[in-house]
Amino acid sequence: MQTRTRFDYENNGRLTGDLERASWHIDQTAWSLCPLVPIPDHHTEQSIHRAALDTDTPDITAMERLTRSWLINGRHTLTGFDHPHATFATGVDSFIDSAVYRCSSVASLPLTYYHVPDVAQQIGRPHSHMPNAPQDALFIVELPTPQHDTAHVTEQMAMAKSTGHRVVVDMTFLPVATEKVHVDLSHADEIWVSANKVWNTGHLRPAWRFSREPISDALTLAHSRTRYNPASLRAWHHIVTSYEYDTVVDQHLPTYHHICEVFDLTPTNNLLVARREDIVWEPMYTDNWNYNNLIGTHNLIHTHGKHFW
């Protein structure tokens, strides 16, 4: 009874009907459908973390080549991906921090990753939204991003580049895109790649940055001196040699569409969320946390067949 009272307090009327029942069945909390979290996969997560403990660290140059091939061989069409400079680091957040430090003004699309405006505020850079950003603004864009149509995102990239903005594309969610994406990366000055929303990589969080020009920051220096996290690189080696870029989507996309039908949700361009209007989540971490009108599908996919869905 006490648990149910806590659930009702946490839920505060947010989830109703079958979604409320599902959240209760999953873990008896009102947060099990909160976005945006990887689909639990204990076996894969264990194998990634075991690989990180290996004693042999792969060659960084060979890993760069493997990473480029891993991306290109996926189901998406990535033209213009000829950025010669690569940096390995821990987490895309490190790339965001560097990018914001290096610009005088930063822009993003509304309702995208909260860390961009958070960092801008923290270090005193003006933040605005495209297409109304000042001429000198660096444009950081997620591809895909669940609150915007993918075609709109790629159009905004091209428009920003044509009007003189530097453009950065964060492709963290591309491995879990529900649709094939065609993007001209010649519009991007930097490209960020990770699998940290594909699987729960914990503190390892391997990530790559590709750029047209050399970037003068501490991340480049650490990369050149092999001072990146070797466990993170070993985990990345395991990911790109053991799994395809599209492994998770290939495995779970039919279940995702089934869940959308069962719960009367509107599919998005991201496997980890579906749309339900009038869903309001209390901000986590920051007021820029902006996943209202979205339902996290990770636990619904993970528990498919265990309950009534």
Side-chain angles (χ1 to χ4, degrees):
M1 185 67 175
Q2 184 178 3
T3 302
R4 184 69 208 194
T5 301
R6 186 193 70 191
F7 178 94
D8 291 337
Y9 173 78
E10 292 174 346
N11 187 43
N12 194 27
R14 177 190 307 109
L15 303 174
T16 59
D18 284 344
L19 286 174
E20 181 183 5
R21 288 176 57 210
S23 189
W24 173 259
H25 279 304
I26 288 169
D27 61 8
Q28 296 187 350
T29 78
W31 306 111
S32 60
L33 305 185
C34 184
L36 270 154
V37 180
I39 300 164
D41 184 342
H42 184 65
H43 174 75
T44 301
E45 291 161 10
Q46 275 197 325
S47 69
I48 291 171
H49 285 81
R50 279 196 304 267
L53 299 175
D54 199 349
T55 56
D56 295 327
T57 301
D59 174 74
I60 190 68
T61 302
M63 284 309 308
E64 178 190 336
R65 289 195 298 268
L66 275 173
T67 300
R68 292 179 185 275
S69 177
W70 192 63
L71 290 169
I72 291 169
N73 290 330
R75 73 192 192 283
H76 305 295
T77 303
L78 309 178
T79 60
F81 180 37
D82 53 5
H83 301 60
H85 303 280
T87 312
F88 182 78
T90 303
V92 163
D93 285 0
S94 300
F95 302 144
I96 294 175
D97 298 348
S98 170
V100 176
Y101 267 111
R102 288 182 281 116
C103 73
S104 58
S105 174
V106 63
S108 57
L109 290 175
L111 303 178
T112 55
Y113 189 27
Y114 55 83
H115 194 65
V116 173
D118 281 357
V119 171
Q121 180 178 356
Q122 181 71 21
I123 65 175
R125 298 291 190 271
H127 175 263
S128 54
H129 289 136
M130 294 296 278
N132 301 313
Q135 186 65 37
D136 63 344
L138 170 71
F139 180 34
I140 300 177
V141 60
E142 291 178 327
L143 182 73
T145 187
Q147 302 279 30
H148 295 272
D149 179 77
T150 300
H152 173 69
V153 173
T154 56
E155 288 168 4
Q156 288 295 308
M157 287 173 57
M159 184 181 301
K161 190 63 180 175
S162 68
T163 53
H165 294 277
R166 292 188 68 252
V167 176
V168 175
V169 57
D170 177 359
M171 301 200 306
T172 296
F173 287 119
L174 194 59
V176 290
T178 57
E179 56 195 27
K180 291 182 180 180
V181 174
H182 182 178
V183 58
D184 183 358
L185 293 174
S186 66
H187 299 308
D189 296 278
E190 295 179 34
I191 300 163
W192 301 337
V193 175
S194 83
N196 302 324
K197 291 298 185 182
V198 186
W199 298 284
N200 180 5
T201 59
H203 65 281
L204 297 166
R205 305 180 66 244
W208 284 86
R209 176 181 66 190
F210 298 95
S211 61
R212 293 213 172 276
E213 302 295 334
I215 295 174
S216 298
D217 65 359
L219 299 173
T220 295
L221 189 63
H223 180 100
S224 68
R225 296 177 176 177
T226 65
R227 291 181 180 172
Y228 41 75
N229 184 342
S232 181
L233 186 64
R234 291 191 290 266
W236 183 257
H237 176 266
H238 176 78
I239 288 170
V240 299
T241 58
S242 302
Y243 310 104
E244 301 293 332
Y245 192 76
D246 308 311
T247 289
V248 168
V249 166
D250 289 344
Q251 181 180 356
H252 294 299
L253 188 57
T255 303
Y256 172 83
H257 286 301
H258 168 76
I259 285 167
C260 288
E261 291 178 5
V262 169
F263 291 97
D264 193 26
L265 303 173
T266 303
T268 71
N269 53 31
N270 188 319
L271 186 74
L272 304 180
V273 288
R275 185 169 300 281
R276 168 65 66 85
E277 298 300 327
D278 301 321
I279 294 290
V280 178
W281 299 98
E282 287 80 3
M284 297 187 181
Y285 316 119
T286 166
D287 288 340
N288 292 315
W289 197 88
N290 46 39
Y291 299 127
N292 291 337
N293 302 318
L294 296 175
I295 293 292
T297 54
H298 55 291
N299 276 323
L300 294 171
I301 292 172
H302 177 57
T303 56
H304 168 58
K306 184 178 179 181
H307 301 291
F308 64 86
W309 58 90

